Amino acid sequence: MTDKTPTPEPTIYQAPMEGVIDHHVRALLSAIGGVDICVTEFVRVTNTRLPRRVFTRLCPEVDKGAKTPSGIPVRLQLLGGNPNAMAINAVKAVEFGATAIDLNFGCPAKSVNNSDGGACLLQSPHRVEAIVGAVRRAVPENIPVTAKIRLGFNDRSSYMDNAQAAAAGGANELAVHARSKVDGYKPPAYWEYIGEIRQKLEIPVIANGDIWTLEEFQRCREVTGCEAFMFGRSLLARPDLGRQIKAYCSGESYTAMGWQEIIEILWGYYQTTREVYPAKYLGNRIKQWLAYLKLAFPEAQLFFDKIKRLREAEELDRAFSEERKIQIASIEAA
């Protein structure tokens, strides 16, 4: 990457990904650098007051100042459709150590939407405002209350209504995934809608959706005018994407991570989590991450093919050892 005239450095958010980005992954991504704020998987709220263990299971960082081991702030995300229950549990979350509350109006999963949570709430902007407002009034003023929405449910026609509803409810920031629920994750992402929302709202707007590369970041910033961006799948595919962006904006030279560095990160992750999950699921999280990494690294597909049927620790250890030796040899040969 060549030097360039510095531009304002954006704020980089790690997007919440249920069942994918847990506290182990948050710790890894924040240690790599380039990420300014992390967001947890959602805590599902129904009509009950949740016990402390529910919050600490998904956000153990609350016991350590709501920060990752690298010191990056972690926002605890709540999902639900009952304003009173959301407010009560937001208060409990803060009592347990949360320093910021994020509200999920974007999850497109059918099981979530059928249970009155996530993107289904975008069908009724007044409900979005009611939930944000209830939480905002319930927690202390110094606790940020943020929200994440999509552009709509069945289509994108309600994008501005929902954005304005979240702001009217008192959200301090709004992250916008540039698709509707029906759009799912199919390309393209409609960044121009985010630009319109940013121009209308007085609160910061965070752009999210299909920013896979430095070049796409540049285009998204140009289209939206945003200076805050949220990365989920793309951050798993390129774990140092935030560093690439920060280096570009500061005019510094930076060489993106290669497969040799990625395999060492995966090895560390495997070592950290091997005792956490039941033996029958050993390696599943690595295979899951490889599904994203192969979008940027062809070597990830080859390594996945080697380990996809492996279940035993000795087999996985051997596969990692062989792959790491290959990469060390390639470095020495170079």
Side-chain angles (χ1 to χ4, degrees), residues 20-98:
V20 180
I21 300 184
D22 60 9
H23 67 282
H24 297 296
V25 179
R26 290 194 292 273
L28 269 176
L29 293 175
S30 59
I32 290 169
V35 175
D36 299 298
I37 296 174
C38 295
V39 187
T40 70
E41 303 166 86
F42 63 75
V43 174
R44 188 188 291 266
V45 174
T46 53
N47 296 318
T48 59
R49 191 186 302 255
L50 297 171
R52 186 177 186 279
R53 67 178 181 277
V54 173
F55 296 100
T56 56
R57 178 176 62 84
L58 291 174
C59 187
E61 295 99 334
V62 294
D63 288 334
K64 297 184 178 180
K67 294 182 179 181
T68 69
S70 299
I72 301 302
V74 179
R75 294 179 176 176
L76 192 148
Q77 187 180 79
L78 301 179
L79 176 147
N82 183 313
N84 186 54
M86 291 283 279
I88 289 171
N89 282 286
V91 170
K92 298 305 293 183
V94 172
E95 290 176 359
F96 296 143

Side-chain angles (χ1 to χ4, degrees), residues 20 45 55 115 157 164 167 179 181 213 221 242 263 268 272 312-313:
V20 180
V45 174
F55 296 100
S115 300
S157 61
Q164 291 178 321
R179 297 181 177 91
K181 184 269 181 190
T213 63
R221 183 168 64 172
I263 194 65
T272 300
E312 300 298 326

Side-chain angles (χ1 to χ4, degrees), residues 218-279:
Q218 293 170 293
R219 291 200 298 273
C220 182
R221 183 168 64 172
E222 181 178 349
V223 171
T224 65
C226 290
E227 287 302 332
F229 302 84
M230 182 172 278
F231 302 89
R233 296 173 299 153
S234 55
L235 196 57
L236 293 174
R238 292 180 172 84
D240 67 335
L241 181 57
R243 286 180 63 186
Q244 294 180 39
I245 290 169
K246 299 270 188 175
Y248 167 79
C249 291
S250 63
E252 298 176 1
S253 179
Y254 177 77
T255 301
M257 281 184 173
W259 178 247
Q260 296 92 343
E261 294 166 286
I262 296 297
I263 194 65
E264 292 302 319
I265 290 171
L266 283 178
W267 170 245
Y269 178 54
Y270 171 66
Q271 292 288 82
T272 300
T273 59
R274 64 188 300 165
E275 303 300 328
V276 177
Y277 303 108

Side-chain angles (χ1 to χ4, degrees), residues 126-332:
H126 68 277
R127 295 190 67 196
V128 172
E129 181 176 350
I131 292 167
V132 174
V135 173
R136 178 66 278 171
R137 291 188 296 272
V139 301
E141 188 175 338
N142 67 309
I143 300 295
V145 173
T146 61
K148 186 170 190 284
I149 66 170
R150 282 176 170 255
L151 297 177
F153 189 75
N154 291 316
D155 56 41
R156 297 180 290 276
S157 61
S158 63
Y159 72 101
M160 191 64 74
D161 292 336
N162 282 300
Q164 291 178 321
N172 296 99
E173 294 178 355
L174 181 67
V176 183
H177 184 123
R179 297 181 177 91
S180 69
K181 184 269 181 190
V182 171
D183 291 329
Y185 294 97
K186 298 188 299 290
Y190 301 90
W191 295 333
E192 63 273 16
Y193 289 85
I194 299 178
E196 292 180 30
I197 290 170
R198 185 194 61 78
Q199 291 178 338
K200 285 281 187 180
L201 301 192
E202 296 182 0
I203 61 174
V205 174
I206 304 156
N208 174 231
D210 269 15
I211 312 172
W212 292 92
T213 63
L214 175 59
E215 292 71 25
E216 285 169 334
F217 157 75
Q218 293 170 293
R219 291 200 298 273
C220 182
R221 183 168 64 172
E222 181 178 349
V223 171
T224 65
C226 290
E227 287 302 332
F229 302 84
M230 182 172 278
F231 302 89
R233 296 173 299 153
S234 55
L235 196 57
L236 293 174
R238 292 180 172 84
D240 67 335
L241 181 57
R243 286 180 63 186
Q244 294 180 39
I245 290 169
K246 299 270 188 175
Y248 167 79
C249 291
S250 63
E252 298 176 1
S253 179
Y254 177 77
T255 301
M257 281 184 173
W259 178 247
Q260 296 92 343
E261 294 166 286
I262 296 297
I263 194 65
E264 292 302 319
I265 290 171
L266 283 178
W267 170 245
Y269 178 54
Y270 171 66
Q271 292 288 82
T272 300
T273 59
R274 64 188 300 165
E275 303 300 328
V276 177
Y277 303 108
K280 65 179 178 179
Y281 299 128
L282 187 65
N284 280 12
R285 286 282 181 149
I286 295 297
K287 297 167 189 175
Q288 182 183 52
W289 199 342
L290 286 167
Y292 296 100
L293 285 167
K294 69 183 182 182
L295 300 174
F297 298 92
E299 301 95 333
Q301 179 66 63
L302 297 175
F303 188 57
F304 175 79
D305 290 340
K306 290 179 183 178
I307 71 169
K308 62 183 177 183
R309 293 185 177 86
L310 303 185
R311 294 287 185 271
E312 300 298 326
E314 289 184 3
E315 295 176 323
L316 287 163
D317 289 349
R318 190 180 308 115
F320 263 110
S321 178
E322 292 172 357
E323 184 66 21
R324 294 171 72 210
K325 286 179 180 177
I326 291 171
Q327 298 311 317
I328 292 172
S330 68
I331 293 173
E332 292 175 346

